Each structure stands twice: as C-alpha cells, then as structure tokens.
Amino acid sequence: MQYKRLTEYGAIGDGNTVALVGRDGSIDWCPLPHVESPSVFAAILDADRGGRFSVQPTRSFESIQRYRDRTNVLETTFRTADGSATVTDFMPVAEATGSADRPPAIYRRLECDDGPLEFTVSFEPRFDYARDVPAVEPTSDGVVAIGDDERAVLTSDVPLEPTAEGHGGSATATLEAGERRWLVLGYGEAIPLEPSRHREVLDDVVDYWRGWSHDCDGADCPIGGPWHELAVRSSLVLKLLIHRGTGAVCAAPTTSLPEDLGGVRNWDYRFNWIRDAAFTVQALAELGHLAEARSYFQLCLDHCRGHDPADIPPVYGLHGGDDLEERTLDHLEGYRGSAPVRVGNAARQQRQLDVYGELILAIYESVRYGEAVTTDDWAVMRGLIDAVCEDWDRPDASIWEPRNDPQQYVYSKVMCWAALDRGIKLADAADDVSAPLERWRTCREDVREAILERGYSERTDSFVRSFGDETLDAANLLVPVVGLLPPDDARVQCTIDATIDRLATSDGLVRRYEGDDGLPGETSPFIVCSFWLVTALALAGRTDEARDRFESILEYASPLGVFAEGIDPETGEQRGNVPQAYSHIGLINSVLYLADAGDSNRERRAPLGFDQWTADERSSAEIVRQPTDTERRNTQ
C-alpha cells in the first residue's frame, strides 16, 4: 500500500488522544487510550502491517476534507460517478457529554448525499504498535478485536463480519440518498448502537468546540485581520494537544514522522516540552483561553518541585512521568521507509539551560494576564533563578537537542538572561518577596555582557550559534522578542538580514541552524523558525516584508490549515510530526504581532513579557499570594 502526504490528514481528539484521518477515509494513526500509549492503528508508520480503519466508496472517488466551523469535528466528502456521501468523524469530549467514565471512542457517521452509493468498511486494528495482531470475532451488532491485554469493539448498523484470516472486520453496504449509517469504536468496551443517542453526542461535541473556540465581534480582536480564521484553527489544534487531565501540552500526537525523508531524524513528540510554555501561555491567553494558560504554567511549576533546580529535565510525560526511555521498533518500516521508528525520547537526559528562561517567561506572562503566584511558587522560582546564576555559563544541548557534545549556545544564554530579567521584574513588582536582587542584577549584567561580546560576531555581522562560532541559529531571532535588545538595534537588524541570507529560502522558509549536530542527513526548514522571522520583522517595523513572508508560509498549510514540523524545500511537502504545537503557536503569535503592526490605532505589541506594570497596575495587581490549603496539600 502507498503512503499519503501529511497534508492529506485531519486530526480529531478528545483531550486524551488524537487520531489522524486520511482524505481517503482511513484512520491511519491512533494511540489508545492516551496519546502517549501504544498505537491501535499505525498505517502511517507501516502501510502494510500498522493497521487502519477505513470507510470509503467501493468505486473510484475524489474527496475533500473540512472541519465544521470552529470545531474539531472532521467531515470527509466523497464524490463518485454514482453520487456523493460524507463521513463525519469525531471523538466525544468528556466536558461536552458528561461522560468522563466512558471508554475512549471514535464515532464515524456515514451519510449519503446523492446515491445510491456503495461503501466498503475495513477494520484492521493492530495493538501495541502492531506487535499484537488481535483475533476479531463477531458480536450481535459488530465485531470485537481481542488482543493479549486489549480489546476494541466496533458496533455498527453496517453488517460487519470478521475477515477470512480472522484478524480484521469488513463490510460492504449500499446507501440511498438521505440514508445514514454509524460506526462506533469503543476501546476496552462496547458503545451501544443507539443512532439517536449518537446524534445527540455529535451535537454536544459541536456545541462544546464552538463554546470553547475564540469568537469575537471584530472590535479590538487581538488577531483581527485577514488571518483571523487561520489563527482560530491553530488554537483548536492546540486544544487537541492539551491533555484534559493534566493540562500538559503535547508537542505533537505522532512519533517518527521524518524530518528528512528516508533519514534517521525520526523522533517521538508525544510529550510535554517546557520550552513551549511561554509562547503557549501568550497564544492561549490572547485568544481568551485563560483557564488553559493558567493550568499549563502551574503544571510547569509542579514539574519543577520534584527536581533539584540545577537539574530540571526539559521534557516530561503528559501524566508527569519520567519513563521516556528511547527505544526503536524495528518491525515497522517507518513512514515511506524512514527508519528507525522510535518511541520515547532521549532528550529527557539532556541539559537544556534555555528552559529556565522559557519557564520564568511563562510565569511572568501568566501574572500579566491576572494569575498570582503563591509563596510556594515563588520559592520554586527563586530556586530556578539561583540555579541560572550558578550554571548559565555551562555548555548545554539548548533548544535543538543535537546528539553531539554540549556547547556554549547563545540562545541558551539569551534565555538565562530572560529568566533573570523577569525574575527581577516580578520581585520588584511584588515588593514583599524575598530575593537576592543584587546578586541577580549583577548576574543579569554578566550574562548580557557575555552574549553581546561573545555571542555576536563582527565578522558574520550576526548573533551566532555558540560562543566562538561563525554559524547561525534561527533561535536568535527571539533576541528582540524577549527584549534583550530593542528591535531597531543594529545587531538585531543585522541578525535578521543574516538569517534571511543564510538560513532562509526565497519563499519564506527558515532552517534551524548551520553546522554539525551529530546526526547524518539534513533537516528540513522548520515552520516555527519561519514564523519567528515574521515576528522579528514585524517587531522591527519591516511590516511589508513580514506580511509577504507570512503569506508565503501559509501556502504550505494543509487544506485544513494544519502544519507539521517542517517543509521539504524541494518538494514543498510537509515533514515531521503532525500536527505540531510549536508551528501553530508560532502562527498565532505571528498573527498577533502582524495585527498590531498593521493597525496604526493600536498600541504596538511589546516584546514577550517585557512591558512593566504602571504604578497603578502595580498597586492593584496581586503578584504573590499565600497558597490555599488545597494548594498546599497538592504540592506536598
């Protein structure tokens, strides 16, 4: 069987897991019961052995996908010579249905718009990343797949039968115009076949997503302008990646989709990276999703409580676990032959000093949006900032997690400066907290001096990847975003120009860095880096350039407005895990800065978390408070 382009997939989810549904009606990826669990369908990683669940016309067809407006309910419409039909795919969300105790489920409604039209259903579950091929047996209204330790039950008003070899289920049915059929997959136990109830669940899920998604009357909207709907779609993608139980943001719901087709840069992204925190908080808070923003920053603090401040892991399991051991699944061939397929992520063991800045920035942003930190939180923050004072000049792996020796990465130093700067600002604003401010201020100046003297190359006329180096790093585009230097500083402008000259393609795409990273092959241009360039240009007042590059990037979006991690510069195909949280965070924040730059009546957006409270705001803001009894119990 052939592999589909990544732009041919839509994503559905329930806050616990995410499934990828192809434009051909095939669910080719779904881990259950959680996104970090082993897969039940993994045809995207092995087209022959991975397993799938497809619903499609028997005859040749064309198809398109769309989301129902302001929802994560996916519709795939098929057209054949005989007629047309639509498959509606969704997963029940506990907050919508009041059914938190129900098993995870995938609902698929098949509706014939113009018929008669013959459809084929193929149900091929493969548990435990296709290492457990289940026996499939008939039930009164469907089939059940029974593995070593798992069960999946498919109920339907389409007559399903086990396949001849007994490891799948199939059916063929002809629908007349106006007819509907339901297929409901329950993990662990059956979902009773009740079409009227299924329609109610669909209505509840649609109402939930529309009630959650950003909506405005256009006045003073932070993302007002031509890209409003695209930014709303990105927020809905982010919501799919937020674990409903813990608030953790999954970097992507897939594993091992390659950065370099046929290469080894294939990673498992089904975990929570702290570095996503600051930009996630800003994006969600600006769109009005304050509960998710607050929950996420508190989760990041909770992660830090159980660790020595000098040894904070950069990545966590979505449930807070630390079993991220990296392993390979040699029985799977990988997407389009890109092996190895990996689960787990060895970045857990790396030292990445930039996470300190990203965490403190997230806390600072949360306070700006109205969240007070507790005295217990402040104790954690103080420990983190003290650790920065001790360790900022040590080599590390930094943001891009190379597999070679640690270096003195400039971006890590920039984020260490940001941790010190925002910690000082919070302490100044709070007045009544204990902090070694003289030490922090001295260290902040030392870090800044080192960055400007050793991190900027007169020869290259740009900030560079590491001290004493001449290669470039796109992460340095964030220097003005975090406020180390103002956007109109000559060194910022020259870094933007050098990035365009040496890391950018002619159509707006930006590679992450130059130089060795300890791995063979090449990485594709990163979408988030491309959005960083847009943001830096918008901040620098180069608005026309920013808009042009932004529009160029959007041409690579899927028809659904979804982005993976990178873009193959030769073919224009998306690469890497999909959908990618960082890409969509970058899109939202670029729209925020572009909206400000394009509105002469709007106050220009300050760099991330850089604006200080006015005297009135400071007197009225609660920066640090005592924890409640519940909070004390939860942190013990």
Side-chain angles (χ1 to χ4, degrees):
M1 292 187 179
Q2 294 183 338
Y3 291 91
K4 292 183 273 292
R5 293 172 181 249
L6 298 184
T7 50
E8 295 180 44
Y9 285 105
I12 60 172
D14 62 356
N16 290 309
T17 192
V18 173
L20 296 188
V21 185
R23 198 168 64 196
D24 61 353
S26 179
I27 296 177
D28 289 349
W29 174 255
C30 184
L32 288 169
H34 299 286
V35 73
E36 70 270 41
S37 300
S39 61
V40 174
F41 306 113
I44 199 169
L45 295 177
D46 194 311
D48 293 323
R49 289 171 288 187
R52 58 172 50 82
F53 177 17
S54 69
V55 179
Q56 58 187 220
T58 304
R59 295 185 60 181
S60 167
F61 60 86
E62 295 181 349
S63 62
I64 59 171
Q65 284 184 318
R66 73 177 187 94
Y67 282 109
R68 286 204 186 181
D69 183 46
R70 294 176 39 238
T71 78
N72 282 315
V73 175
L74 184 66
E75 296 179 339
T76 306
T77 298
F78 299 96
R79 298 189 184 280
T80 75
D82 298 324
S84 63
T86 298
V87 175
T88 301
D89 287 305
F90 65 96
M91 298 182 73
V93 181
E95 290 83 352
T97 61
S99 56
D101 57 342
R102 282 194 173 189
I106 297 174
Y107 284 61
R108 314 197 74 180
R109 188 185 74 178
L110 173 59
E111 182 173 20
C112 185
D113 306 310
D114 179 20
L117 199 61
E118 185 179 71
F119 264 79
T120 298
V121 177
S122 180
F123 175 59
E124 302 172 15
R126 298 292 183 263
F127 297 130
D128 192 20
Y129 303 113
R131 290 180 293 198
D132 180 3
V133 179
V136 175
E137 301 174 357
T139 66
S140 59
D141 51 11
V143 293
V144 56
I146 305 170
D148 293 339
D149 299 302
E150 298 179 82
R151 289 167 55 92
V153 188
L154 180 58
T155 56
S156 177
D157 48 12
V158 175
L160 290 160
E161 296 288 344
T163 57
E165 74 280 4
H167 298 300
S170 64
T172 300
T174 299
L175 277 69
E176 301 290 339
E179 278 195 281
R180 292 176 176 173
R181 295 289 184 269
W182 287 89
L183 297 105
V184 182
L185 176 63
Y187 179 77
E189 61 183 80
I191 306 296
L193 182 61
E194 300 175 305
S196 61
R197 173 57 183 152
H198 300 340
R199 289 193 294 273
E200 292 176 1
V201 173
L202 173 56
D203 291 341
D204 289 342
V205 170
V206 168
D207 289 344
Y208 167 79
W209 287 118
R210 289 179 176 165
W212 181 88
S213 66
H214 170 79
D215 192 18
C216 65
D217 58 8
D220 297 322
C221 177
I223 53 172
W227 308 295
H228 182 276
E229 293 308 311
L230 193 61
V232 172
R233 173 51 52 198
S234 287
S235 72
L236 284 161
V237 171
L238 283 182
K239 182 61 173 174
L240 278 179
L241 302 178
I242 297 175
H243 193 278
R244 62 174 298 271
T246 66
V249 177
C250 176
T254 55
T255 181
S256 300
L257 297 181
E259 297 177 21
D260 176 27
L261 194 62
V264 301
R265 298 169 183 266
N266 318 319
W267 315 111
D268 192 348
Y269 277 6
R270 296 173 296 158
F271 309 111
N272 173 219
W273 269 260
I274 286 181
R275 74 167 42 89
D276 296 358
F279 298 100
T280 301
V281 166
Q282 184 188 42
L284 290 172
E286 286 285 358
L287 294 182
H289 306 306
L290 295 177
E292 286 80 5
R294 291 167 179 166
S295 175
Y296 188 40
F297 106 88
Q298 191 62 56
L299 172 75
C300 291
L301 276 174
D302 290 343
H303 282 331
C304 297
R305 297 183 204 280
H307 294 276
D308 183 329
D311 190 28
I312 298 296
V315 57
Y316 293 83
L318 300 186
H319 292 83
D322 57 7
D323 181 18
L324 274 63
E325 178 186 357
E326 192 171 284
R327 305 178 300 279
T328 61
L329 303 179
D330 295 331
H331 64 288
L332 297 176
E333 75 167 9
Y335 177 74
R336 294 170 67 174
S338 300
V341 172
R342 292 184 173 94
V343 293
N345 199 302
R348 170 78 183 187
Q349 308 304 321
Q350 290 184 339
R351 171 181 291 276
Q352 298 177 19
L353 293 174
D354 61 293
V355 301
Y356 291 93
E358 284 132 357
L359 178 57
I360 300 300
L361 276 171
I363 296 168
Y364 190 91
E365 282 293 288
S366 297
V367 171
R368 287 182 56 241
Y369 289 113
E371 180 73 3
V373 298
T374 70
T375 52
D376 291 345
D377 293 337
W378 178 256
V380 175
M381 293 168 58
R382 174 174 171 167
L384 295 172
I385 298 168
D386 285 339
V388 170
C389 289
E390 294 291 332
D391 293 342
W392 71 268
D393 58 350
R394 294 179 60 181
D396 76 325
S398 197
I399 183 173
W400 303 126
E401 302 176 348
R403 296 297 174 102
N404 52 7
D405 293 336
Q407 298 182 41
Q408 297 280 6
Y409 288 107
V410 172
Y411 176 73
S412 288
K413 313 308 179 190
V414 171
M415 297 311 290
C416 285
W417 175 88
L420 290 157
D421 183 75
R422 300 321 192 270
I424 291 167
K425 287 181 169 62
L426 283 170
D428 281 342
D431 279 336
D432 56 350
V433 297
S434 173
L437 285 175
E438 183 176 351
R439 181 189 185 215
W440 288 1
R441 289 191 177 105
T442 299
C443 186
R444 177 179 62 176
E445 185 56 33
D446 290 343
V447 178
R448 186 176 188 275
E449 183 178 329
I451 294 167
L452 298 182
E453 289 187 0
R454 302 172 61 194
Y456 190 87
S457 167
E458 297 293 343
R459 179 179 174 183
T460 305
D461 213 8
S462 171
F463 284 102
V464 291
R465 189 178 176 200
S466 60
F467 288 170
D469 195 4
E470 297 295 329
T471 60
L472 299 191
D473 184 346
N476 291 327
L477 292 167
L478 297 176
V479 165
V481 178
V482 303
L484 177 73
L485 290 174
D488 59 357
D489 187 280
R491 289 161 292 190
V492 170
Q493 296 281 351
C494 288
T495 298
I496 292 173
D497 290 337
T499 300
I500 293 172
D501 183 51
R502 291 170 53 174
L503 291 179
T505 67
S506 59
D507 47 2
L509 303 176
V510 178
R511 292 185 292 117
R512 290 180 294 176
Y513 50 79
E514 299 173 316
D516 179 53
D517 61 7
L519 290 165
E522 296 183 359
T523 182
S524 297
F526 250 40
I527 292 169
V528 72
C529 297
S530 308
F531 287 132
W532 287 346
L533 178 56
V534 171
T535 296
L537 286 166
L539 271 175
R542 297 162 62 170
T543 309
D544 290 342
E545 286 182 73
R547 286 199 192 99
D548 289 345
R549 287 190 172 273
F550 188 74
E551 291 285 3
S552 293
I553 301 165
L554 298 187
E555 293 181 7
Y556 295 98
S558 80
L560 294 169
V562 173
F563 280 103
E565 182 178 32
I567 302 292
D568 186 317
E570 295 184 2
T571 66
E573 290 188 36
Q574 293 194 11
R575 293 283 179 257
N577 288 304
V578 63
Q580 179 82 4
Y582 223 178
S583 298
H584 288 278
I585 293 165
L587 185 151
I588 293 171
N589 283 308
S590 286
V591 172
L592 289 169
Y593 285 98
L594 283 169
D596 287 348
D599 187 347
S600 59
N601 296 318
R602 185 183 302 190
E603 182 179 352
R604 182 64 60 89
R605 182 172 299 276
L608 179 67
F610 195 63
D611 55 324
Q612 299 187 51
W613 290 275
T614 66
D616 289 342
E617 289 171 334
R618 175 175 167 174
S619 64
S620 63
E622 184 179 34
I623 308 301
V624 179
R625 60 174 174 80
Q626 293 295 321
T628 65
D629 291 341
T630 299
E631 287 171 331
R632 287 194 183 279
R633 287 193 296 270
N634 289 341
T635 58
Q636 289 175 352

